Amino acid sequence: MSGQFDIITLIALVVAVAAIIKLRSVLGHRTDEDEQRVERLKTREREARQRAGPESGSADVITMPRRDRDVPAPAATAETLTANAETRIKAYPATDPAVTAGLLEIAKLDPALDPDAFLTGAGQAYEMIVSAFAEGNRRMLRDLLSKDVLDGFTAAIADRESREETVDQQFVGIKKAEIIEAELKGGVAYLTVRFASELISAVRDKTGNVISGDPQTITDVTDIWTFCRDVSTARARSDLNWRLDATQAPN
């Protein structure tokens, strides 16, 4: 048995050694096709490095191809900005020529002035202020009103709260907003806007009874508000926020 086992083992070893030698000869042999494949790979790598350029300091950085026509536009000059502002202002349909003149005067200090963009922002501020006043949200009002107007609004809220009254209000929307006055005084721009809006509003006493207004009826409301913004210096103009500076009743 032991002699038979030794012969079988020897034969198995010979076969294994022969297989290993054959496998190594096959794996280690490189054909002409393999050589061509390696050369093509090396050529692609060289071309990729050349496209990346000398500034590509890391293999982890991928340099995007650039086109010669993608040249940054030159910075706009002050004259160009002013001309663009004049075009926007003259395109705004002001009902009073004095409004156009006032807007042009403001644009001399603030060439970024755009009447249409201002009205969009003023309309958003109008809705926020009207809603914040109804809710008694002093914090929101503080960010949108000048000091004098804020004092008047907070006093009215405190008076309402002292009577334990609440306001039920729903802002329906603005039907029309137009700039009716524009003025520059001491480096401060003042723009007055007439808002024609729709509200549903009712005041309730502490028991919940309606004492004024109607919670079921849409009411037309007209407000004339003046917004202000310091445009005297570049630093002042960096603050793009306008604040409500005055309110008045319509004529």
Side-chain angles (χ1 to χ4, degrees):
M1 288 293 293
S2 62
Q4 185 179 1
F5 177 79
D6 290 340
I7 292 173
I8 293 174
T9 302
L10 180 60
I11 293 173
L13 288 173
V14 171
V15 172
V17 171
I20 292 172
I21 293 173
K22 180 64 176 178
L23 183 60
R24 290 185 60 185
S25 66
V26 173
L27 293 176
H29 183 67
R30 179 178 292 176
T31 65
D32 292 340
E33 184 179 352
D34 293 332
E35 293 285 352
Q36 294 173 4
R37 187 182 300 111
V38 171
E39 287 301 321
R40 288 197 298 270
L41 178 59
K42 290 181 179 179
T43 299
R44 288 197 296 269
E45 291 177 348
R46 284 196 299 269
E47 291 175 351
R49 286 194 296 270
Q50 291 172 357
R51 287 195 299 268
E55 295 181 359
S56 178
S58 171
D60 296 331
V61 178
I62 300 175
T63 303
M64 299 297 293
R66 293 181 295 180
R67 296 175 296 178
D68 293 339
R69 62 177 177 272
D70 290 340
V71 179
T77 63
E79 290 79 6
T80 300
L81 292 174
T82 301
N84 291 340
E86 290 180 358
T87 300
R88 291 193 300 269
I89 291 169
K90 290 178 180 179
Y92 175 70
T95 56
D96 185 349
V99 171
T100 302
L103 291 170
L104 291 172
E105 188 69 19
I106 295 170
K108 291 179 181 178
L109 288 181
D110 183 19
L113 178 65
D114 184 334
D116 291 323
F118 165 79
L119 279 177
T120 298
Q124 294 170 349
Y126 176 80
E127 179 178 354
M128 292 171 63
I129 292 169
V130 169
S131 299
F133 176 71
E135 297 167 2
N137 189 338
R138 295 174 175 81
R139 182 175 181 179
M140 182 176 288
L141 293 173
R142 190 177 302 117
D143 296 331
L144 298 170
L145 311 181
S146 67
K147 184 180 183 306
D148 290 343
V149 178
L150 177 63
D151 290 344
F153 275 49
T154 53
I157 292 172
D159 183 55
R160 186 175 70 210
E161 291 174 342
S162 69
R163 297 192 302 271
E164 300 183 57
E165 296 174 353
T166 57
V167 177
D168 286 346
Q169 180 172 280
Q170 181 180 349
F171 188 88
V172 179
I174 297 175
K175 296 168 61 176
K176 184 178 181 180
E178 60 177 332
I179 302 173
I180 59 174
E181 292 180 13
E183 187 178 14
L184 180 67
K185 294 190 296 185
V188 178
Y190 295 89
L191 296 181
T192 301
V193 181
R194 180 190 290 116
F195 293 103
S197 64
E198 293 180 324
L199 297 174
I200 299 174
S201 182
V203 178
R204 298 179 184 273
D205 63 18
K206 61 182 180 181
T207 63
N209 294 319
V210 175
I211 57 177
S212 67
D214 187 338
Q216 304 298 326
T217 302
I218 296 177
T219 303
D220 291 328
V221 179
T222 299
D223 287 304
I224 297 177
W225 288 7
T226 299
F227 298 86
C228 70
R229 175 170 165 256
D230 188 353
V231 295
S232 59
T233 64
R235 181 176 181 179
R237 288 190 295 273
S238 66
D239 183 357
L240 302 179
N241 294 319
W242 293 77
R243 293 180 181 273
L244 177 60
D245 184 68
T247 64
Q248 57 181 308
N251 296 328

